[in-house]
């Protein structure tokens, strides 16, 4: 619709609304500000941190230890609960600020026309039909349909993610154009970087593009992580099992074995204490926290602890293109000259790179075609490229002009012989820039650069064409389209000689008499490290999907260069026409989506999740916030990302680099491995203790270990041995494995078998040595001390089995590759010696000293446990092969 039609539809005119009409419209439409739902209070958020099955287990354990008067254990457990709640409270508080920051993005004032007079009003008083005046530096206060513009450029990265300012026009856009293509609109919260304009308000508050994003962000619920879902399920199962089994054993002890009520209750409590892995929640939290530190070293800042684990389950990474997969530095790659094409090496703004024609390396100093193209690229330019104090090359100005400056520097072009006399800056409606330059010889030239179709219309011949005949426009258009089809952005360059009295530029100077020098094809090049990371992700079974606001041809060209499957590519407009069912099938094979908007990204995210995928999504603009929040792992850009995108995400990349995502996934897999290793280590301890108590009750004998002794062994093995597994290094094959099934239980069949096998081994040796001690005539305190130390020895040796879940650990790296494991065993030995030989511990735990021969048998039992578990792993490896 043209500007007249828009004004008529909104019942407005170029002089603006009258003062009487505006207040009535304000009553109808409401204030131009975003409404947010009631936020939870700080107290509500803090209390919510305790609503977790892991916390329930810890609190139950604390109650049990308090009932048993084990106050030190009680205090330690409650401290862990409190620290976990405080960390969650702080991180969640930051996340909830995202919506508040969106609401603050609206500018506080706006300059409008009312009754033909310019006046400044509060932005919240704007109504549809108001005429708003824009100038450089303004933040757009509402969605506007432009009716006038003069060299207007608006930076829309907050909405589109594309950092380059968009040249605006008043011409009608296609009816179904996406945000990126609506050049006749100025959107709320975007920034005017150049020129001025006038627009009529078409939408305010939640009806604006930024308002719709805010509403989507309100509606999107954060998803829990695969691990927490499994731990919650496991916790419920364990709690039910413990309650049922403890109750059953109480009745067996009281009614069938003639235990007293107190003895029966003590036996039931012993089993409950034995069955609950008190250290598991703390170990998981510590392992995740250690992972956060490691990821920070790899430029991935974790905002929520559970996201560390979720990274390891990722099956899809949906990534932005500009700055994440690419360098966000335009680079000249192709010169389209009259005699053929030249390729240019190098990336970014560093002026290093050679020129090639086919396989032949050329000297730009000796090639006049290259020399003249690069000379004009430098002369007709306003950008500056220079080296900073750190030795890095920086560009100030327009990225396209920066690429041309770097091109000229690569060709070693000297422009000192020229003096600029006049300039016509680039304007979107003209489509070109021109400079009038005087050579030291006195000759004067107009150097021109701009859109190829504009420059071609100005030219009648090729520069230095000896016969002076006109050139074939169709031939050059074909060459232009061929280069553009490869995803490169084209800039054409021309020159026109004028007489030595020509001292200023006028539009009349540009007819059709210029001479074409050639065209420069440029592209934002892929990051080399990102390309390597995509290959690593492919080997790891992770699909990479490119979502970009850029053009389809450019997106496809970059994707092909990076090794992404680009044959199936689609625009956001095409995506909108697909049903949810079609989209679920489509995302299985499509990897490139161009010209996407917030709704498209969210739809793709939901389609992937509906297929059971675990999705990491990158983003930097406000437009990305709903999808970042919906994603299993939202990854925001730390350098160019908005605060809203950061606060809606779980991970922030300090370097905006896709390679850091791949490293984060690797670390996430390592952390999940380490958590599983800790579970695989801790549960056999509980299983062995349950086995010992259960056998004792069924046999009707005195318990081989008391509840306080069980608490002791659980505490020292969790604090020392299990904690060492949190520091396990990454296993070599971790990024050659396929992603784990998000639906697979954390305790699979093999896990359950291993837990049962080791529980029987350690529990069996504990019972055997306990009975052996009694048969040898040793009293109960000595026998129980031997039993407790047998449990500890079995756990110490089994710790090394757990370093590799399936592989053999009988090697130098397997036995000595984790220094923390060696330190943990040393600490455990000291604690057990303290437990065994200090009178204080004898009184507290009813223990007694044991002899050297007893230690020899205990250590031998631990060695046998280690050997049998390694044999078990060996047998299963053979079965799997």
């Amino acid at each position: 619709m043209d500007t007249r039609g828009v004004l008529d539809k909104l019942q407005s005119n170029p002089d603006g609304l009258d003062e009487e009409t505006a207040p009535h419209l304000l009553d109808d439409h409401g204030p131009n500000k975003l409404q947010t739902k009631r936020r939870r209070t700080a107290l509500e958020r803090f209390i919510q941190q305790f609503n977790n099955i892991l916390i329930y287990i810890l609190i139950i354990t604390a109650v049990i230890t308090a009932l048993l008067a084990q106050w030190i254990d009680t205090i330690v457990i409650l401290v862990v609960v409190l620290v976990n709640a405080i960390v969650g409270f702080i991180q969640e508080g930051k996340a909830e600020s995202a919506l508040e920051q969106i609401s603050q993005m609206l500018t506080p004032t706006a300059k409008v026309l009312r009754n033909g007079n310019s006046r400044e009003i509060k932005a919240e008083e704007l109504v549809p039909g108001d005429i708003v005046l824009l100038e450089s530096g303004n933040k757009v206060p509402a969605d506007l349909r432009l009716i006038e513009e003069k060299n207007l450029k608006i930076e829309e990265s907050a909405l589109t993610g594309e950092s380059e300012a968009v040249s605006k026009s008043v011409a009608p856009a296609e009816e179904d154009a996406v945000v990126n293509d609506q050049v006749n609109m100025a959107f709320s919260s975007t920034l005017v970087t150049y020129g001025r304009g006038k627009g009529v308000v078409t939408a305010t508050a939640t009806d604006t593009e930024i308002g719709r994003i805010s509403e989507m962000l309100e509606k999107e619920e954060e998803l829990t992580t695969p691990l927490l879902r499994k731990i919650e399920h496991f916790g419920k199962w364990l709690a039910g099992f413990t309650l049922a089994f403890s109750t059953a054993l109480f009745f067996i002890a009281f009614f069938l074995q003639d235990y007293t009520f107190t003895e029966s209750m003590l036996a039931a409590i012993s089993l409950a204490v034995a069955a609950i892995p008190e250290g598991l929640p703390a170990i998981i939290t510590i392992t995740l926290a250690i992972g956060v530190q490691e990821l920070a070293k790899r430029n991935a800042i974790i905002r929520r602890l559970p996201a560390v684990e979720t990274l390891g389950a990722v099956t899809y990474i949906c990534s932005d293109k500009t700055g994440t997969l690419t360098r966000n530095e335009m680079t000249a790659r192709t010169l389209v000259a009259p005699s053929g094409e030249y390729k240019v090496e190098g990336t970014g703004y560093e002026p290093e790179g050679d020129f090639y024609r086919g396989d032949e390396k050329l000297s730009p100093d000796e090639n006049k075609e290259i020399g003249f193209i690069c000379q004009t690229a430098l002369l007709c330019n306003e950008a500056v490229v220079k080296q900073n104090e750190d030795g890095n090359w920086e560009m100030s100005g327009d990225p396209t002009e920066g690429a041309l400056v770097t091109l000229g520097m690569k060709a070693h072009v000297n422009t000192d012989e020229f003096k600029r006399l006049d300039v016509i800056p680039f304007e979107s409606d003209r489509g070109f820039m021109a400079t009038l330059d005087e050579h030291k010889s006195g000759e004067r030239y107009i150097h021109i650069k701009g859109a190829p179709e504009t420059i071609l219309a100005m030219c009648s011949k090729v520069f230095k064409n000896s016969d002076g005949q006109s050139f074939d426009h169709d031939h050059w258009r074909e060459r232009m389209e061929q280069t553009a089809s490869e995803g490169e952005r084209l800039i054409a360059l021309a020159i026109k000689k004028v007489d030595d009295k020509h001292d200023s530029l006028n539009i009349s100077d540009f007819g059709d008499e210029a001479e074409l020098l050639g065209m420069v094809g440029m592209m934002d090049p892929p990051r080399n490290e990102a390309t390597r990371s995509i290959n690593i992700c492919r080997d790891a079974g992770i699909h990479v999907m490119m979502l970009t606001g850029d053009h389809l041809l450019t997106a496809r060209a970059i994707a092909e260069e990076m090794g992404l499957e680009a044959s199936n590519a689609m625009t956001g407009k095409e995506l909108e026409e697909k049903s949810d069912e079609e989209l679920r099938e489509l995302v299985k094979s499509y990897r490139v989506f161009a010209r996407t908007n917030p709704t498209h990204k969210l739809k793709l995210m939901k389609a992937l999740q509906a297929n059971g995928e675990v999705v990491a999504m990158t983003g930097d603009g406000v437009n990305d916030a709903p999808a970042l929040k919906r994603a299993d792992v939202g990854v925001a850009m730390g350098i160019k990302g908005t605060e809203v995108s950061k606060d809606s995400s779980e991970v922030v990349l300090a370097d905006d680099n896709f390679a850091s995502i791949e490293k984060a996934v690797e670390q996430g897999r390592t952390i999940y491995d380490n958590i599983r290793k800790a579970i695989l280590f801790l549960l056999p301890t509980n299983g062995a203790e349950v086995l010992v108590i259960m056998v004792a009750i069924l046999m009707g004998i005195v318990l081989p270990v008391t509840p306080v002794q069980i608490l002791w062994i659980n505490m020292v093995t969790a604090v020392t041995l299990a904690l060492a597994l949190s520091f396990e290094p990454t296993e070599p094959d971790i990024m050659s494995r396929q992603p784990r099934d998000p639906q697979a239980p954390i305790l699979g069949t093999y896990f359950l078998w291993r837990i049962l096998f080791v529980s029987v081994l350690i529990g069996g040796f504990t019972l055997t040595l306990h009975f052996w001690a009694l048969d040898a005539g040793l009293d109960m305190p000595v026998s129980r001390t031997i039993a407790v130390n047998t449990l500890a020895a079995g756990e110490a040796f089994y710790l090394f089995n757990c370093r590799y879940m399936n592989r053999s650990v009988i090697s130098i790296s397997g036995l000595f590759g984790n220094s923390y494991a060696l330190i943990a065993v040393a600490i455990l030995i000291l604690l057990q010696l303290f437990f065994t030989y200090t009178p204080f511990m004898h009184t507290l735990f009813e223990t007694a000293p044991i002899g050297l021969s007893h230690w020899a048998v205990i250590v031998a039992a631990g060695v046998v446990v280690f050997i049998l578990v390694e044999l078990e792993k060996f047998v299963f490896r053979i079965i799997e092969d």
Side-chain angles (χ1 to χ4, degrees):
M1 188 182 298
D2 61 18
T3 56
R4 184 66 263 171
V6 173
L7 290 170
D8 290 343
K9 183 177 181 180
L10 293 168
Q11 296 182 349
S12 183
N13 62 79
D15 291 331
L17 300 172
D18 58 55
E19 295 291 356
E20 293 75 27
T21 303
H24 296 295
L25 290 173
L26 186 60
D27 291 336
D28 293 339
H29 294 276
N32 178 36
K33 61 181 181 180
L34 301 181
Q35 303 294 327
T36 56
K37 63 184 179 183
R38 176 186 173 272
R39 301 286 173 224
R40 292 177 297 171
T41 66
L43 180 61
E44 288 172 333
R45 284 194 291 111
F46 184 72
I47 292 174
Q48 185 65 26
Q49 304 308 313
F50 298 93
N51 186 23
N52 184 298
I53 190 65
L54 301 179
I55 303 302
Y56 296 159
I57 294 175
L58 279 178
I59 292 173
I60 292 170
T61 306
V63 171
I64 293 172
T65 55
L67 292 173
L68 295 171
Q70 299 299 307
W71 302 114
I72 294 177
D73 294 347
T74 303
I75 291 170
V76 169
I77 293 169
L78 291 178
V79 166
V80 170
V81 171
L82 187 61
V83 168
N84 188 75
I86 291 172
V87 170
F89 172 77
I90 293 171
Q91 297 295 349
E92 196 171 287
K94 291 181 179 178
E96 291 209 348
S97 68
L99 290 172
E100 295 173 11
Q101 290 186 27
I102 286 185
S103 65
Q104 293 168 3
M105 292 183 70
L106 291 175
T107 183
T109 62
K111 186 178 288 186
V112 299
L113 288 177
R114 293 272 174 91
N115 293 341
N117 299 316
S118 174
R119 55 172 293 195
E120 195 169 89
I121 65 171
K122 292 180 180 179
E124 65 181 48
E125 296 176 2
L126 282 174
V127 294
D130 259 326
I131 302 298
V132 177
L133 305 178
L134 299 175
E135 57 187 35
S136 181
N138 287 165
K139 186 179 283 187
V140 181
D143 282 3
L144 313 176
R145 169 60 161 91
L146 296 172
I147 59 176
E148 291 182 17
E149 66 87 20
K150 181 67 174 178
N151 304 328
L152 183 64
K153 289 187 177 183
I154 299 180
E155 197 264 297
E156 297 179 339
S157 63
L159 278 176
T160 66
E162 299 302 318
S163 58
E164 192 170 344
V166 179
S167 295
K168 292 297 181 176
S169 167
V170 299
E174 292 186 22
E175 187 174 340
D176 53 355
V178 297
V179 170
N180 312 60
D181 294 331
Q182 294 178 31
V183 294
N184 59 352
M185 291 290 296
F187 294 103
S188 176
S189 83
T190 59
L191 182 67
V192 178
T193 60
Y194 191 80
R196 61 183 184 273
K198 181 192 294 185
V200 57
V201 174
T202 59
T204 59
T206 54
D207 293 330
T208 63
E209 285 295 321
I210 194 73
R212 282 192 281 271
I213 292 170
S214 177
E215 286 194 322
M216 283 192 286
L217 196 55
E218 287 271 9
K219 294 174 183 177
E220 287 309 314
E221 297 295 331
E222 293 180 27
L223 303 180
T224 185
T225 72
L227 177 65
L228 290 186
R229 288 195 291 266
K230 293 170 188 173
I231 290 294
E232 184 177 3
H233 176 75
F234 169 70
K236 291 177 180 177
W237 175 86
L238 181 61
F241 166 83
T242 302
L243 179 63
F245 215 64
S246 297
T247 303
L249 278 183
F250 171 81
F251 283 108
I252 291 172
F254 186 69
F255 291 107
L256 301 179
Q257 298 296 353
D258 296 326
Y259 280 61
T260 66
F261 179 84
T262 301
E263 290 172 336
S264 300
M265 182 61 69
L266 185 62
I269 291 173
S270 297
L271 186 133
V273 170
I276 295 175
E278 295 93 341
L280 180 57
I283 292 299
I284 290 175
T285 300
I286 292 169
T287 305
L288 293 174
I290 292 169
V292 168
Q293 294 176 339
E294 289 299 314
L295 284 165
K297 297 176 184 176
R298 301 182 178 205
N299 294 313
I301 300 165
I302 303 298
R303 298 186 62 256
R304 299 183 182 92
L305 282 182
V308 178
E309 172 271 328
T310 314
L311 279 166
V314 164
T315 57
Y316 268 79
I317 300 175
C318 298
S319 177
D320 186 23
K321 175 184 71 68
T322 305
T324 308
L325 294 173
T326 64
R327 297 170 60 96
N328 199 20
E329 296 176 343
M330 291 297 287
T331 303
R333 301 170 61 132
T334 305
L335 300 187
V336 183
S339 64
E341 285 192 5
Y342 303 96
K343 293 298 180 183
V344 188
E345 284 188 332
T347 57
Y349 298 120
E350 182 178 3
E352 296 292 335
D354 295 316
F355 293 76
Y356 285 85
R357 187 167 193 173
D359 295 330
E360 180 188 1
K361 181 178 177 180
L362 303 173
S363 170
D365 299 327
E366 301 173 2
N367 188 295
K368 291 185 177 180
E369 278 191 325
I370 295 175
F372 281 120
I373 291 173
C374 294
Q375 185 182 76
T376 296
L378 269 179
L379 289 169
C380 191
N381 208 306
E382 299 287 1
V384 176
V385 175
K386 61 182 179 180
Q387 201 167 17
N388 62 22
E389 296 176 355
D390 298 327
N392 299 317
W393 289 87
E394 296 179 337
M395 188 278 300
S396 59
D398 182 82
T400 299
E401 292 198 329
L404 293 174
V405 171
T406 304
L407 173 69
M409 294 171 71
K410 288 178 182 178
H412 313 297
V413 170
N414 181 11
T415 58
D416 293 341
E417 297 177 343
F418 286 89
K419 176 184 176 182
R420 179 179 291 186
L421 302 178
D422 198 8
V423 61
I424 293 180
F426 178 85
E427 291 186 6
S428 56
D429 57 349
R430 280 197 294 265
F432 72 91
M433 172 186 176
T435 59
L436 175 62
D437 303 286
E438 183 180 50
H439 190 262
K440 66 178 183 179
S441 64
E443 294 181 324
R444 296 185 178 185
Y445 299 90
I446 299 175
H447 295 100
I448 316 164
K449 80 168 190 299
E453 56 273 17
T454 301
I455 303 302
L456 287 177
M458 293 182 180
C459 297
S460 58
K461 55 186 175 182
V462 175
F463 184 59
K464 297 297 182 184
N465 190 348
S466 59
D467 57 16
Q469 293 180 358
S470 62
F471 68 108
D472 187 345
H473 283 78
D474 292 336
H475 167 73
W476 278 94
R477 288 193 179 92
E478 288 176 8
R479 295 183 67 180
M480 176 183 74
E481 291 169 2
Q482 173 61 36
T483 306
S485 69
E486 297 172 4
E488 294 184 8
R489 179 180 180 183
L490 280 171
I491 295 293
L493 300 121
I495 191 171
K496 180 179 180 181
K497 191 175 185 303
V498 294
D499 61 59
D500 55 9
K501 295 181 181 179
H502 205 105
D503 54 10
S504 64
L505 288 176
N506 298 288
I507 296 301
S508 58
D509 294 328
F510 305 95
D512 58 358
E513 299 173 352
E515 300 176 51
L516 182 68
L517 292 166
M519 292 180 281
V520 178
M522 57 186 68
M523 182 183 285
D524 181 10
R527 292 178 182 262
N528 293 332
E529 63 273 25
T531 302
R532 289 193 296 270
S533 294
I534 287 174
N535 292 330
I536 292 173
C537 287
R538 184 182 296 108
D539 294 339
I542 300 170
H543 303 287
V544 178
M545 183 180 286
M546 179 193 291
L547 309 180
T548 177
D550 215 331
H551 293 280
L552 183 61
L553 285 176
T554 303
R556 181 179 275 139
I558 290 290
E560 289 176 347
E561 191 162 340
M562 302 193 77
L564 283 175
E565 174 54 51
S567 57
N568 289 335
M570 181 176 289
T571 64
K573 181 179 176 181
E574 294 171 314
L575 185 151
E576 288 177 349
E577 300 169 358
K578 307 295 180 183
S579 67
D580 291 344
E581 292 73 20
E582 289 174 324
L583 204 54
R584 287 183 60 177
E585 286 301 313
L586 185 142
V587 294
K588 294 177 181 178
S589 57
Y590 278 69
R591 297 291 176 265
V592 178
F593 292 88
R595 308 306 268 175
T596 54
N597 66 26
T599 305
H600 302 149
K601 294 181 180 183
L602 200 54
K603 286 184 68 174
L604 289 168
M605 190 70 53
K606 290 180 177 179
L608 288 168
Q609 289 173 334
N611 289 342
E613 306 293 349
V614 179
V615 186
M617 193 270 185
T618 73
D620 51 23
V622 176
N623 64 320
D624 296 319
L628 287 172
K629 189 175 181 182
R630 171 74 189 192
D632 297 282
V633 184
V635 183
M637 302 297 108
I639 297 174
K640 64 173 182 173
T642 61
E643 289 304 311
V644 175
S645 67
K646 293 175 189 176
D647 284 343
S648 299
S649 66
E650 287 78 27
V651 182
V652 178
L653 298 186
D655 59 354
D656 290 11
N657 193 338
F658 182 87
S660 296
I661 306 175
E662 177 263 314
K663 293 298 182 185
V665 169
E666 178 184 297
Q667 189 64 32
R669 289 188 174 191
T670 300
I671 290 163
Y672 188 78
D673 266 10
N674 291 349
I675 289 173
R676 294 185 77 213
K677 290 173 184 177
I679 294 172
L680 193 61
F681 171 78
L682 284 172
L683 292 188
T685 303
N686 302 99
E689 293 164 354
V690 168
L691 180 65
V692 168
I693 293 167
M694 185 175 65
V695 169
I697 291 174
L698 293 176
M699 292 179 66
I701 62 174
V702 178
L703 296 178
V705 286
T706 66
V708 289
Q709 290 171 346
I710 290 172
L711 276 173
W712 166 263
I713 199 68
N714 284 355
M715 183 181 69
V716 296
T717 55
V719 170
T720 58
L721 304 182
L723 185 59
L725 293 171
S726 299
F727 296 91
E728 276 294 310
T730 301
E731 293 192 21
D733 66 338
I734 201 160
M735 289 302 281
S736 59
R737 308 174 194 167
Q738 292 300 295
R740 68 179 188 272
D741 181 1
Q743 305 304 319
I746 196 165
L747 299 178
T749 305
Y750 177 64
F751 246 49
L752 292 172
W753 155 253
R754 171 74 69 80
I755 291 167
L756 177 63
F757 177 66
V758 177
S759 296
V760 170
L761 283 180
I762 297 176
F765 277 119
T766 301
L767 286 167
T768 300
L769 295 190
H770 171 70
F771 292 135
W772 167 75
L774 292 177
D775 289 343
L778 301 176
D779 58 20
M780 185 60 69
V782 174
S783 176
R784 281 176 168 168
T785 304
I786 290 173
V788 171
N789 280 302
T790 303
L791 283 169
E795 290 294 310
F797 281 95
Y798 178 56
L799 172 70
F800 291 95
N801 297 121
C802 289
R803 289 205 58 223
Y804 302 148
M805 284 182 282
N806 302 105
R807 294 186 297 135
S808 172
V809 296
I810 303 176
S811 63
I812 297 297
S813 61
L815 296 175
F816 303 102
N818 183 352
S819 60
Y820 292 98
L822 301 175
I823 294 170
V825 170
I827 293 172
L828 178 65
I829 291 171
L830 293 175
L831 288 172
Q832 288 307 114
L833 291 174
F834 178 73
F835 173 85
T836 305
Y837 293 109
T838 58
F840 167 75
M841 299 296 281
H842 296 164
T843 303
L844 193 62
F845 288 98
E846 300 180 9
T847 56
I850 60 176
L852 190 61
S853 61
H854 303 141
W855 282 114
V857 178
I858 290 169
V859 171
V863 171
V864 174
V865 169
F866 174 81
I867 293 171
L868 289 177
V869 174
E870 286 301 299
L871 284 173
E872 180 263 351
K873 288 198 285 186
F874 175 72
V875 170
F876 268 86
R877 287 198 302 273
I878 293 176
I879 293 173
E880 288 181 352
D881 293 342

